[in-house]
Every structure is written in C-alpha cells, then in structure tokens.
Amino acid sequence: MEKRGGHVYFAKKDTDAVNYITNLAKEKHVQRVVKSKSMVTTEIDLDKQLLKLPGMKLMETDLAEFILQSDNWDEPTHIVFPTLHKNRDQIRGVFEKLGYTGDNDPTRMARFAREYLRGYFLQADMGITGCNFAIADSGLINLVTNEGNADLTMAIPKTQVVVMGMERLVPSLKEAEVLDNMLSRSAVGQKLTSYCSFSGEQVAGESDGPEDLHVVILDNGRSNALGTPFESVLQCIRCGACLNVCPIYRHIGGHGYGSIYPGPIGAVLSPVLDGYEKFGDLPFASSLCGACTETCPVKIPLHRLLIKHREVMMDKLKTDKAFNKAIMKGIGMGTAHSDLFQMALQFDHSATLPFVSKKPTTVDNLYNHQGHITHAPSMAKGWTDVRDAPRPPKHTENFRRWFKDHEAQKGASNDDQ
Amino acid sequence: MTSDNREEFLNFIAAKAERPRHQLTDHPFVPLNDLPETTLADKTPAELFALAKENSEAEHVTFKTAATADLPSVLDQMITDKTAQSLLLPTDERIAAYGLTDWAAQVAPRPTYWDPAGSRTENIQRAQDADLAIGCVEFLCAESGTITVATTPGQGRSFHFLPKHYVALVPQSRIVPRSRQAMDWYDTELKAGRLHTSNINFITGPSNSGDIEMVLVVGVHGPIDMTYVVLTDK
C-alpha cells in the first residue's frame, strides 16, 4: 500500500481511528464527505464525530444507509440489508422530508436517491469507504457493492479514507476473487455482485481516483479473540447468511441485539469486541439449533462459540473462586476422612445452635431436633433464605447411634432364642 | 502521518496470539482444492458463449453480438433506442482495432472522449453529462456474466459509473469461464509490471439494490442499464 503511495495508520482503539480521520479532514479543510456503506465506521461512530467539525457535510450514499441517515440516524438491522425494518411507505415518508413527491414505488424512490446523491458525489472532497478485503501483495483494496456507490466514492473525491478491521487481509488477488464469489453467493444469492473493485491510489496519467489514500487498520477489540477459542470469528466475511437462517434473528430483528453486528455472528462477535458486561446476554439469545454453523461459508462454528461464551462467562463472572471454593474443599476433606466425619457428627447439633430460629415453632415436623435452621451462613444461605433446614439431631439421637443400638438389641433378642 | 505505530501494533497482535510474527512468503498459502480453476474450464468456446449469454441476461444485461463490419450500425441503433443526446468514448486503441475510427468521426451526437490530458473535473463532468458510454473491456466471464476492466488514462474509473446507459465491447475470444481466469491475467500482468493501473473493476450488469423491501431495483448509482456487445470475429 505504501509502495503505491498510500498511507497506512494502525489504530488500536476506535478513538485512535476517529482522531486520525478527523485530523486528516481538518488538515485538508474537507467540507463535503461521501461515504459508502461500511459496518466498521458505524462501529467506531465516525459519522457523528466528523459532523462535529464546523461546516462539515457528510452523506451516506448506500441507498439503505442514506435512508437511515435521513431518518435521523436510525440504526441498521441487517448486515446486508440495513433497512429491512422499514416498508416502502415509511421510506417514502423519509424521502418526502427531502423533497420527494412521488408514490411508494421502489424504483422511483431509488431514482430520486440517485439524483439527490449524485449532486453530493460531484462536490465531494473526501470519500470514506470500508473494505471487504485488503490484498497484501499488491496493496489494493477490494470493495463489493451492487449499487456502484463505493466506486463513485473511490473515483470522484481527491482524498479517500479506507477503514478496515485488521482481519480483512488476504494474500493476493486470487484469494480475494475466491472470497468475492463466496460473499456474493452467501449474501444475496448472486454469482457475483454488480461491482467488485480492486483499487488503490491514482497512478500517473489517470485523472480520477484518489490522489491521497489513507488506510486505517483497526483493532478495536478484535485482538481479544486472538489466542482464544473465539479466534475463528475473525474469519467472518460479513455475508449475513447466519442472520437469514437464524430463528432468533427472524423473531427479534436486528435492533434487538443492541449491537451493530446482529444475528448469530453478532452474538459471538459483540462480546469479544466489547465485553460481557455490555453484551453478555447475547450468547443466551440462541436456540442452539446450529443453522448458522451449517450455513456459514467460512465455517465459523457459531453455535459452539455461543456455548463457549456461556462457559467462559459462567467461569469468569458467576463462579465464586475464593471463599466457597475453600469451604467446598473443607467439606470434601471432612467427608473423605472417617475420623473427621465422626467428629463432625459429634458436634453438628451443638454447632448449629447459633443459626436456629428463636421463634416458637407453629407447626411441628415429624423430624424435629430442637428447632429449625432459618439463617444458615455462607453457601447454605441460599437454601435457608427460602425454606427452613432441619437441625441435625443430638449425637446421642442420630441415626448411626440408633442403628447401633438397634443392632445390639436385635443381637440380644437373637441370643435369647 | 505514516505508519509509525506499525511495529507496536503488530507486536501486540503477535503477543496476543501467542505466535511469533511471520511472513507469508515463508509458508505460502496452499489452496485446499482447484475448483476455482477447474470449474467450467472444460467448456468449448461455443459453450462458453452460450453460458455467457444466459448468465448475462439473468443479470438484466442486453446481450448483443456483432461482427466488426456490423458494429457501427449496431451502435447507431443503440443510440437511437436510448435517445442518447450525448456520447462518451474512451481514448483507447481498441476503438481503432474494432474499426470504429470512421464511425466515431461522423456519428451523431458528436462523441466526447475521456481525455488522458484532461483534468479530473473535465473528465468527470464529461462522464456525468454522458447519456451513453461505450467502453472497451478486457474479459467477459461466462459463469457470472461479468465484464472486467482495468482503469487506464484514457478510460477512467468514473467512465463506467457516471453515464446513464453503458455499452461494453468485448471480443468473443476474451470470453473466459470464470472470474478466476480474468483475475489470473490481471495478477500476472500487474506482477510483471506490464499493467499500470490503480483500479480493476469486475462489473456484472447494471447497478441495482434491494434495499427497499428487498424489491430489486435496477439502476441506482451506476448505469441504469447495460449492454454487452460481443465481437464475433475478434
């Protein structure tokens, strides 16, 4: 990339990436930005930060993202079809605010967006795109679209910024070609989408394309997956096939996940990127039917990773490692050694005295040894919070003693005969 | 503002992954199978042509054929059909190779050209003003109905995207089975230094979108329709 004249910036966190891009925009006195659809810029919330710059105008140019932006920055619901939650009448309502006067026919509305956005394209001085794949050996960026907006974003503005997750790299054009085929088929059932482009900074003699190209390579939590069972989630090519087959996604829709990555992939990825405190519920939002794993073109074991998330979460957040563990160890020892166990049986009645209810018993149980335990300490508290525990009998009245006496009596009576 | 934080970033990743940093050249990527190369590779040129036609038409492409001698009349007809008021041509030696020099000199409307000496604004404006653009492309992939074209000084990026209607001229000998064969060619040419380009486009039919109720709309940001003309004697 740098050999081709481009600039590469490695951003560890979302704020690093946003700062780099806003500084670049300031330095170049950028006034008009066009964007083509990019999940990763939504992830780092770039749009709103750029719009804070004085005089800045920014336009999402993917039809769906344009609709969302025009509807006061509504959130996307699907990786491939971000406006899946809106019907044509709602979209007409959004467009009417922009001056559209026609009916709710999708073609006419799309033509309106074409004309409306064309004006923006022609005046844009910075283009921001995502990146489907970055090609390591030739330094080209591969973008896959159907509308052609990404190509206009890469052709018209003088400055182009590419924001890519650090896992988007492929060795050469050949692998990109294989993955483009895979992506198109899995995402929309096409053999290839309308536009697959492989592009870099303008070379001598060409008159359009970026004169200045900046690529921001973003970590932002992706490295959390490295060296863990979740590493394979970085294989994701963002086709959205797992969403389409997911019974949970079909019922709750994309907004229900509270993350810009919805569906099974989102349920696996979001906790990796942002932690269990924020997205710990997502791995439980699954029937574990495994349809996602079955359909995934890059063979991410999605439902197994959901189970793994639950396991890690239980282990990390719910298991009390210190005190209870020590107690369990004590109980283990006590029950494993007969001397200790005998000793416990000697003292259990008197030792439970402090925990016995002081109130008089209203209903007497058959099994009653001077009161019931109503406020046991530590691990047993969970039990006595909701029900009474019977107090162990006195040592002289317990079962072992009774059995011993009983056997002795039986022996005596046998001797008599 | 360059990659001064690159080493730190890469070392951090290597540490996280608990794997030392390494180069792909030390252990080249080995594909699991050769399906990208072998699929459709055994088809005859006639079979590939039939597949190309079928798959292009499935992508809403108007698929035409013409011998070089008939090409001017086919293009004239198209200008009439689209009621094109303005025409954009590339500055490309293939226009002459396809025998279009004389036609271009007298055709109405008078063509404008994507000019290698022109400025960014001039060329983009020409493409924006064009009702119809006639482009010369390198390959047609039979499996997906895809045309492939590398950007040149005489045929820029916006050439293929801004005009309203778009015609691609492609020799029949350049119909390949799949995108793989086209990509192999670009990869080889780029690495050999014979191809100087910043951009390769694989274009499959007119621009489209399913973003409104998943209803397919043909013609969004790029051309609203697309015609492939296969030159039967080239």
Side-chain angles (χ1 to χ4, degrees):
Chain A
M1 182 63 69
E2 286 176 348
K3 252 189 225 166
R4 286 184 163 269
H7 302 274
V8 181
Y9 177 74
F10 290 85
K12 210 166 164 197
K13 289 196 309 227
D14 47 358
T15 44
D16 298 340
V18 170
N19 287 342
Y20 179 83
I21 299 164
T22 45
N23 284 339
L24 184 72
K26 270 192 244 170
E27 216 172 87
K28 299 213 160 232
H29 307 291
V30 169
Q31 296 287 310
R32 281 169 179 269
V33 173
V34 282
K35 282 189 66 215
S36 76
K37 185 184 165 222
S38 145
M39 309 283 301
V40 71
T41 57
T42 315
E43 179 190 321
I44 63 176
D45 205 14
L46 178 64
D47 294 357
K48 284 172 197 154
Q49 297 304 318
L50 274 175
L51 280 169
K52 283 183 187 162
L53 297 179
M56 174 66 76
K57 287 209 166 116
L58 179 144
M59 200 43 94
E60 290 280 357
T61 60
D62 173 77
L63 180 55
E65 296 283 348
F66 169 63
I67 293 167
L68 294 178
Q69 175 180 359
S70 305
D71 194 18
N72 195 23
W73 299 100
D74 192 7
E75 297 284 332
T77 44
H78 191 282
I79 290 179
V80 182
F81 300 99
T83 47
L84 204 56
H85 58 299
K86 289 193 191 305
N87 65 33
R88 59 180 80 192
D89 291 316
Q90 290 169 315
I91 292 169
R92 183 176 67 160
V94 172
F95 279 4
E96 273 170 352
K97 286 183 223 152
L98 305 172
Y100 178 71
T101 51
D103 58 11
N104 65 2
D105 177 62
T107 306
R108 269 189 281 278
M109 289 196 281
R111 290 284 193 280
F112 167 77
R114 174 189 166 95
E115 296 309 319
Y116 189 90
L117 289 171
R118 195 51 83 81
Y120 271 87
F121 270 122
L122 292 172
Q123 290 172 342
D125 40 21
M126 181 189 264
I128 300 177
T129 69
C131 166
N132 287 99
F133 305 105
I135 292 124
D137 71 352
S138 60
L140 294 173
I141 298 295
N142 176 203
L143 275 171
V144 178
T145 73
N146 264 323
E147 298 178 12
N149 59 318
D151 291 278
L152 287 175
T153 308
M154 294 190 291
I156 298 173
K158 279 187 179 176
T159 308
Q160 188 197 338
V161 177
V162 176
V163 187
M164 58 176 271
M166 64 176 197
E167 77 282 16
R168 309 268 112 214
L169 280 168
V170 294
S172 75
L173 282 169
K174 293 184 187 193
E175 287 77 24
E177 184 263 339
V178 171
L179 288 170
D180 282 357
N181 273 280
M182 208 182 241
L183 175 60
S184 307
R185 281 163 209 250
S186 297
V188 282
Q190 289 170 288
K191 287 173 180 167
L192 267 182
T193 51
S194 290
Y195 300 106
C196 299
S197 307
F198 309 85
S199 67
E201 189 165 292
Q202 187 187 81
V203 301
E206 294 175 356
S207 46
D208 61 353
E211 289 167 20
D212 194 13
L213 176 65
H214 295 258
V215 179
V216 177
I217 299 178
L218 181 73
D219 178 344
N220 201 29
R222 284 164 177 74
S223 57
N224 293 341
L226 292 174
T228 74
F230 302 106
E231 204 168 289
S232 63
V233 78
L234 298 179
Q235 295 163 8
C236 177
I237 56 174
R238 306 280 191 269
C239 67
C242 56
L243 279 61
N244 301 339
V245 298
C246 178
I248 308 297
Y249 176 85
R250 288 197 298 238
H251 277 280
I252 67 173
H255 284 171
Y257 289 80
S259 155
I260 65 149
Y261 301 108
I265 182 63
V268 176
L269 185 62
S270 306
V272 170
L273 297 182
D274 273 324
Y276 292 119
E277 279 77 20
K278 205 167 163 194
F279 292 119
D281 291 342
L282 294 187
F284 293 90
S286 169
S287 64
L288 298 180
C289 67
C292 46
T293 308
E294 194 76 16
T295 198
C296 180
V298 291
K299 297 192 168 141
I300 303 172
L302 286 159
H303 76 284
R304 283 196 194 89
L305 293 182
L306 288 172
I307 299 171
K308 192 77 199 167
H309 265 313
R310 298 178 186 188
E311 194 185 311
V312 172
M313 231 184 311
M314 270 303 151
D315 200 33
K316 206 167 153 183
L317 301 177
K318 297 276 161 65
T319 312
D320 184 347
K321 292 248 166 56
F323 192 57
N324 283 349
K325 219 172 169 181
I327 291 182
M328 285 309 279
K329 223 171 177 178
I331 291 175
M333 249 164 73
T335 47
H337 294 84
S338 66
D339 291 350
L340 288 175
F341 190 69
Q342 289 300 337
M343 204 162 40
L345 288 182
Q346 293 252 341
F347 298 112
D348 58 356
H349 182 77
S350 47
T352 47
L353 182 65
F355 311 115
V356 168
S357 172
K358 305 284 183 291
K359 287 178 198 157
T361 314
T362 46
V363 179
D364 239 342
N365 200 326
L366 196 64
Y367 185 89
N368 193 348
H369 300 278
Q370 293 158 351
H372 286 88
I373 301 170
T374 52
H375 47 287
S378 185
M379 284 195 311
K381 188 174 180 302
W383 176 277
T384 55
D385 275 352
V386 287
R387 50 173 77 74
D388 296 343
R391 192 179 176 190
K394 283 179 187 160
H395 183 56
T396 48
E397 293 169 8
N398 74 11
F399 175 76
R400 280 163 189 259
R401 174 63 72 88
W402 172 86
F403 189 72
K404 214 167 156 187
D405 293 349
H406 179 70
E407 285 289 292
Q409 266 178 20
K410 230 166 70 175
S413 57
N414 281 347
D415 288 347
D416 289 348
Q417 286 170 0
Chain B
M1 297 210 290
T2 45
S3 52
D4 45 1
N5 52 355
R6 168 193 163 128
E7 290 305 305
E8 186 195 334
F9 187 92
L10 295 180
N11 287 334
F12 175 75
I13 289 172
K16 270 266 192 178
E18 293 170 359
R19 289 189 291 267
R21 284 175 61 179
H22 56 94
Q23 290 293 325
L24 196 65
T25 43
D26 303 335
H27 47 89
F29 182 75
V30 185
L32 287 174
N33 61 52
D34 58 1
L35 287 174
E37 288 84 8
T38 51
T39 306
L40 301 183
D42 55 347
K43 300 284 175 200
T44 64
E47 286 171 328
L48 286 180
F49 174 81
L51 270 175
K53 184 172 185 331
E54 185 191 330
N55 289 320
S56 302
E57 285 170 348
E59 295 290 342
H60 312 279
V61 168
T62 312
F63 194 90
K64 295 191 178 201
T65 55
T68 319
D70 306 329
L71 187 56
S73 64
V74 169
L75 295 178
D76 280 336
Q77 187 58 45
M78 222 172 293
I79 292 170
T80 317
D81 291 349
K82 306 282 178 205
T83 55
Q85 304 293 314
S86 48
L87 177 66
L88 179 69
L89 293 178
T91 306
D92 194 301
E93 54 201 23
R94 284 172 285 193
I95 290 289
Y98 301 157
L100 289 175
T101 318
D102 293 341
W103 171 81
Q106 50 77 39
V107 67
R110 231 180 121 73
T112 52
Y113 286 85
W114 187 280
D115 182 6
S119 72
R120 166 188 290 268
T121 335
E122 282 165 8
N123 278 324
I124 289 177
Q125 194 58 47
R126 280 175 199 166
Q128 162 68 12
D129 293 341
D131 279 343
L132 179 69
I134 301 176
C136 301
V137 304
E138 279 91 58
F139 295 102
L140 170 58
C141 310
E143 186 197 41
S144 52
T146 302
I147 50 165
T148 73
V149 58
T151 296
T152 62
Q155 189 173 251
R157 300 185 188 197
S158 327
F159 185 98
H160 313 286
F161 294 97
L162 287 173
K164 205 167 173 190
H165 309 285
Y166 183 86
V167 179
L169 304 179
V170 60
Q172 188 163 355
S173 61
R174 291 287 200 141
I175 298 180
V176 292
R178 298 185 68 250
S179 47
R180 165 48 55 106
Q181 286 80 9
M183 190 52 97
D184 273 345
W185 185 85
Y186 288 113
D187 196 38
T188 316
E189 294 295 297
L190 275 175
K191 280 175 182 154
R194 287 190 293 268
L195 178 65
H196 297 280
T197 184
S198 68
N199 183 52
I200 302 163
N201 289 123
F202 282 38
I203 301 174
T204 311
S207 71
N208 63 75
S209 171
D211 281 342
I212 301 175
E213 287 191 359
M214 295 186 82
V215 176
L216 183 73
V217 173
V218 176
V220 187
H221 289 291
I224 58 175
D225 62 55
M226 188 161 265
T227 308
Y228 299 166
V229 181
V230 174
L231 304 172
T232 47
D233 52 355
K234 287 279 172 188

